[in-house]
Each structure stands twice: as C-alpha cells, then as structure tokens.
C-alpha cells in the first residue's frame, strides 16, 4: 500500500486568523509593560531569538485562538482518511506545540527553535530534507510561502488573496482553496469603537450646564470631543488586544474584530500610538489643563486595562471615574469652572451605570451556566448585591439633583426654576427603567450607548430637554 503524501500545515494566518508572535507579545506586555523596551534588544539577535525569549515567558492557551474552522474541519477529514499531518510554522516550537496539543491531529511539529526562523526558504529546505522534493503538500496563505510551494507536490491556499493563489499556481498545482473571510472598513470602525464616541459627548456637559455657550467655547468643546475620541480609540484598540483570551470566551465580546481574527493585530499595534499622537497634537490647540486631563484619562485607562478591572468594586469605581473625567475634560477645554453639583451628580450616576455594565455581564454568565466572569473578580452570586449597590447609587444621584434644584444657584440661572423640578421624576423613571431592563437581561451594550439607541431613553431625554427649555 502506498504511503499517503504528508500534508504540511502553516499556522499563522492559515490555521489561525492571527499571528502567534503578536499574540504572545501581547501576553508578555500584559504581564509586564516594561518588556516593550526589552523586546527590541532580543530582536537584535534575530527574529528566532525574539520568539524564543517571548515563548519562555508566556503560557499560551491553545483553545483561545481564532481558528479557521472550515480549514480545521477539512484537516480533520484528511486525517480521518489516513494522511499524516505536520504543523510547519515560523512560530516558536513551544507555542506551536501548544496549538498541536489542543487540536490533537498532527503527527509532528516543525517550528522555529531560537536559532533558525523557520519561514520561507528555511522552511522549504527543512521540508525537502525531511520529505523530499515534491514529497509533500503544503498549506499556506502568504507570498513568503511561494518558495515552499515551489518544492511541494501541490498547494492548498488558505485565507489568501487571489494574487497569492495565482503565485502558487505558477510554481505547482493548487489542489484546494479555503476562501479568505470578508474584510472591510466596518471591522476597522468597530475596533476603533466609533459607536462608543457617543460617550464623549459628556465633554459638552459643562458647557450646556453653565449656559455659557459662545462660538469660542463651542469650538473648543468640539475640538476636545475629537481629541478625546481619538485618544479613546487608541485605548480601545490596546484594551481589546490585551484582553484577547477573555474576550474569546465571552458570549458577545468574542465577535470583536481582534478576538475573532477579523482584523490584524499588527494594525492595532500601529494604529494605537498613531491615534494617541493625533489626539495629543489636537490638544495643543486647547488649554494646557485639558492636555493634563487627557493624559490622566489615558494613564487611568491603561491602569484599568492592566489590572484594575480584575479588582472587585475598584473596577466599577474606576469606570465611573473614566466617565466623569470626560466632564472634567469639557470644563478644562472650554475654560468653564467645574460645578461641584455636576461633579457629584456625575460620580453617583456613572457609578450606577458602571455597576449596570458589570451586572449585565454576570447575568449573561448565569444564563450560560457559568459561575464566574472570565478575567474579572466577580461571581454569579454577587448579582443581588450589585443590584442593590447600583440602584442605590442611581437614586443618590437624583437626590443630589434635587438638592441642586433647591439651591440658590438655580434661581440665578433659570427664569422659571420650578419647571426644573420635573427633572426629578424624569430621572427617577429613567434610572428605574435602566435597572429593570438590566435585571431582565436586556442590557447588551455599554449603558450609555444603550441609552442612545433605546427609543424610550431618547424620548426621556427629549422630555428633559423640554423641561430645561421651559425653565430657562
């Protein structure tokens, strides 16, 4: 009986919709951000050395990777038909073995070893030495694989553009093609969190509350909105890349572009610092105090991403602070003194909404039969306590609003201040409804973003605007 021709399988971009070097590098800097400065020193000794040094310091979860599922199913069918499968990758041997152990379909692993980066011509030479020229079939996705296909009996082209398929067909027979998944601007916009920019409209809060709107203050506030949005997108990219494993095990976050492998991690690593730089450049046109607030927001968000989000209750306090700091930024940008009443109201209402966010995640965990939230410090049994704390904080914000409406400040700013009292029942209704929706498991987004999409919340906002108009 003739022995089946070995099927040699590339990993990065083929077997998975990602790159193990970038995946492992993100795991490394999540452990300790200072490795960002050490990694270039390792790279001076070669790419293989860099991969080995990173692999020694991280633990890769083979199950938490974005596999090309149609390709994996095809490989399993090939294995069942008796073909020997070999994982042949430029990734470090430790990481490649973790993937092979998880899938359990490979007869062997060929990978970079700390001295040789097993890519392109190096991989071709290794495969020819082991299986002979034209003695293997090769699965790949990149132009760097063309020298390997030139030595292979046939090519299996996976997740590749048409240009790569044509290049493979010029050097060997293309026996099978696994189509590339769709790509588009929508994945970029989703990763940038453009829909989350609505939260940055809080920057306009001090301007609206102070009744000091002029062309100058409005222009400064809008510029601050753009700068803050760019900075926030930089943070969203970094946070999503650092939270890949937890996101891939989440019921909805697994569909985020980086977690699902719809967007290259290289894009995120390049775009994040560029967006931050653009935000800083725009900030130079605003008061220096705004730049300080923007810097504080960025540092606080990094601290949240690197560890605070794992600490019970500290995480929701941090989230409330990140909401509130947008109001501080708006005050700094427009040169409007920060209102004590607005600040205290914001702290309580945003703490309530931060707890809503956490409650919704735990509620979804309970529906899936899970006991804890991955990457968080909460357990399903905390739901009732979170509900009490969150609702109480929301009602405290309304108490602050009522005390403000009874203060001398209101009579100076409003011609008919009694109309403003209608804000209290409006807010009581809205906070109660938000918590009712959350309790029923209908809160599937950031609560502020949800409010901007929810018809009832929008009508409530219109009612509040009418009341304020009458008061003015």
């Amino acid at each position: 009986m003739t022995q089946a021709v070995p099927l040699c399988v590339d990993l990065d971009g083929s077997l998975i919709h990602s790159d193990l070097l970038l995946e492992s590098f993100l795991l490394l800097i999540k452990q300790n951000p200072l490795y960002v400065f050490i990694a270039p020193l390792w790279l001076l000794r070669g790419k293989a050395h860099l991969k080995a040094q990173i692999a020694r310091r991280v633990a890769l979860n083979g199950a938490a990777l974005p596999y090309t599922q149609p390709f994996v199913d095809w490989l399993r069918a090939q294995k069942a038909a008796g073909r020997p499968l070999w994982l042949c990758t430029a990734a470090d041997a430790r990481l490649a073995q973790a993937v092979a152990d998880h899938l359990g379909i490979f007869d062997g692993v060929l990978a970079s070893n700390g001295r040789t980066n097993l890519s392109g011509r190096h991989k071709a030479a290794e495969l020819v030495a082991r299986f002979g020229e034209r003695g293997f079939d090769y699965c790949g996705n990149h132009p760097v694989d063309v020298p390997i296909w030139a030595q292979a009996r046939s090519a299996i082209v996976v997740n590749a553009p048409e240009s790569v398929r044509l290049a493979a067909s010029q050097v060997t027979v293309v026996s099978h093609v696994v189509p590339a998944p769709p790509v588009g601007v929508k994945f970029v916009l989703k990763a940038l969190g453009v829909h989350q920019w609505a939260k940055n409209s809080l920057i306009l809060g001090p301007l609206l509350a102070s009744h000091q709107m002029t062309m100058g203050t409005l222009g400064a506030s809008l510029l601050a909105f753009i700068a803050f949005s760019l900075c926030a997108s930089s943070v969203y990219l970094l946070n999503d890349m650092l939270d890949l494993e937890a996101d891939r095990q989440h019921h909805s976050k697994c569909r985020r572009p980086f977690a699902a492998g719809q967007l290259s991690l290289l894009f995120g690593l390049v775009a994040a610092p560029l967006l931050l730089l653009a935000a800083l450049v725009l900030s130079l046109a605003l008061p220096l105090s705004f730049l300080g607030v923007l810097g504080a927001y960025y540092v606080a968000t990094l601290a949240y991403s690197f560890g605070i989000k794992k600490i019970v209750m500290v995480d929701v306090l941090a989230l409330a602070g990140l909401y509130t700091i947008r109001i501080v930024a708006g005050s700094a940008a427009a040169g409007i003194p920060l209102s004590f009443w607005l600040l205290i109201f914001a702290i309580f209402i945003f703490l309530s909404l931060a707890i809503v966010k956490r409650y919704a995640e735990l509620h979804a965990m309970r529906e899936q039969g899970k006991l804890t939230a991955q990457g968080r410090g909460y357990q399903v049994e905390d739901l009732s306590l979170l509900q009490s704390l969150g609702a109480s904080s929301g009602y405290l914000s309304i108490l602050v609003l009522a005390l403000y409406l009874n203060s001398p400040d209101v009579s100076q700013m409003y011609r008919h201040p009694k109309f403003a009292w209608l804000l209290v029942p409006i807010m009581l209704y809205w906070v109660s409804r938000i918590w009712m929706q959350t309790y029923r498991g209908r809160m599937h987004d950031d609560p502020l973003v949800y409010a901007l999409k929810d018809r009832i919340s929008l009508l409530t906002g219109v009612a509040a605007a009418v009341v304020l108009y009458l008061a003015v």
Side-chain angles (χ1 to χ4, degrees):
M1 181 176 179
T2 305
Q3 186 176 2
V5 174
L7 185 59
C8 300
V9 181
D10 180 45
L11 200 162
D12 296 330
S14 302
L15 187 62
I16 63 173
H17 293 292
S18 190
D19 185 306
L20 280 194
L21 173 58
L22 299 180
E23 292 261 350
S24 58
F25 176 68
L26 289 167
L27 286 173
L28 183 71
I29 63 173
K30 188 174 182 178
Q31 291 178 10
N32 188 341
L34 295 179
Y35 278 117
V36 169
F37 305 104
I38 299 175
L41 301 178
W42 294 335
L43 184 58
L44 292 176
R45 297 182 58 182
K47 201 170 182 179
H49 180 75
L50 169 68
K51 293 175 180 179
Q53 291 300 317
I54 295 175
R56 289 172 187 168
R57 292 167 171 80
V58 301
L60 181 73
N61 181 0
L65 290 171
Y67 289 95
T68 306
Q69 198 55 50
F71 183 45
V72 173
D73 295 339
W74 183 79
L75 289 175
R76 292 189 188 281
Q78 295 294 306
K79 180 69 175 178
R83 292 197 70 177
L85 305 185
W86 283 74
L87 183 60
C88 307
T89 174
D92 187 80
R94 292 178 181 83
L95 305 183
Q97 192 61 53
V99 173
D101 291 343
H102 168 67
L103 292 177
I105 59 175
F106 292 104
D107 297 279
V109 175
L110 299 176
S112 298
N113 57 13
R115 298 180 302 278
T116 301
N117 187 45
L118 202 69
S119 178
R121 299 190 183 281
H122 287 133
K123 187 187 289 188
E126 179 67 24
L127 293 179
V128 169
R130 184 173 291 269
F131 304 115
E133 187 174 351
R134 306 295 178 183
F136 61 94
D137 295 338
Y138 181 73
C139 312
N141 73 299
H142 195 273
V144 75
D145 295 319
V146 173
I148 306 170
W149 280 321
Q151 303 296 327
R153 186 190 69 162
S154 71
I156 294 87
V157 181
V158 187
N159 297 335
E162 181 64 16
S163 60
V164 172
R165 188 197 68 78
L166 289 174
S169 67
Q170 291 173 0
V171 295
T172 190
V173 176
V174 176
S175 60
H176 186 70
V177 175
V178 179
V183 295
V185 176
K186 65 177 182 179
F187 298 128
V188 174
L189 297 179
K190 187 175 181 180
L192 293 177
V194 172
H195 66 290
Q196 299 276 8
W197 286 5
K199 292 187 290 188
N200 298 327
S201 60
L202 293 170
I203 287 175
L204 301 174
L207 181 62
L208 298 175
S210 66
H211 301 182
Q212 298 182 36
M213 185 178 295
T214 64
M215 290 301 294
T217 56
L218 179 60
S221 296
L222 291 176
L223 186 60
F225 171 85
I226 296 171
F228 222 91
S229 296
L230 294 175
C231 180
S233 287
S234 172
V235 171
Y236 294 147
L237 291 175
L238 186 57
N239 183 66
D240 284 355
M241 289 188 293
L242 291 175
D243 223 14
L244 287 174
E245 183 172 344
D247 284 353
R248 286 167 181 162
Q249 299 179 51
H250 192 273
H251 69 285
S252 62
K253 293 179 182 179
C254 63
R255 294 189 289 272
R256 291 179 173 179
F258 291 127
Q262 297 164 332
L263 199 61
S264 166
L265 294 176
L266 182 60
F267 166 82
L269 290 170
V270 172
L274 290 179
L275 286 167
L276 179 60
L277 179 61
L280 294 176
V281 170
L282 288 178
S283 299
L284 296 178
L286 295 169
L288 189 60
S289 55
F290 172 80
L291 183 59
V293 175
L294 187 68
Y297 168 80
Y298 189 78
V299 171
T301 308
L302 286 183
Y304 177 81
S305 298
F306 278 103
I308 288 178
K309 64 183 177 184
K310 298 179 182 178
I311 307 175
V312 175
M313 294 313 300
V314 175
D315 65 326
V316 290
L317 289 170
L319 278 177
L322 291 173
Y323 283 131
T324 305
I325 202 170
R326 290 170 165 87
I327 292 177
V328 179
S331 174
I336 297 172
L338 189 62
S339 165
F340 166 81
W341 291 108
L342 180 60
L343 190 60
I344 297 301
F345 171 81
I347 289 172
F348 281 118
I349 192 66
F350 292 142
L351 177 59
S352 180
L353 296 179
I355 297 176
V356 161
K357 187 180 176 79
R358 220 34 102 233
Y359 183 99
E361 291 175 353
L362 275 181
H363 186 280
M365 295 293 106
R366 184 175 65 181
E367 295 298 307
Q368 297 173 26
K370 298 180 180 179
L371 298 179
T372 59
Q374 179 71 22
R376 312 292 185 189
Y378 295 93
Q379 301 177 356
V380 167
E381 61 189 26
D382 297 329
L383 278 169
S384 58
L385 177 60
L386 286 176
Q387 182 184 3
S388 299
L389 293 173
S392 299
S393 183
Y395 291 134
L396 277 174
S397 71
I398 300 169
L399 176 60
V400 172
L401 174 63
L403 292 173
Y404 165 69
L405 294 174
N406 196 47
S407 70
D409 297 343
V410 173
S411 60
Q412 297 175 9
M413 296 181 64
Y414 296 92
R415 181 175 297 180
H416 307 289
K418 291 184 179 180
F419 280 112
W421 275 98
L422 292 173
L423 289 174
V424 173
I426 290 174
M427 284 298 300
L428 280 171
Y429 167 75
W430 185 76
V431 169
S432 300
R433 184 175 181 277
I434 283 291
W435 271 101
M436 183 66 75
Q437 294 292 89
T438 306
Y439 178 79
R440 292 176 175 177
R442 298 173 183 171
M443 185 63 62
H444 303 302
D445 208 336
D446 183 287
L448 277 181
V449 176
Y450 170 86
L452 292 170
K453 298 177 180 178
D454 176 47
R455 183 172 60 88
I456 300 299
S457 293
L458 291 174
L459 290 174
T460 304
V462 170
V466 170
V467 165
L468 287 173
Y469 176 77
L470 294 174
V472 172

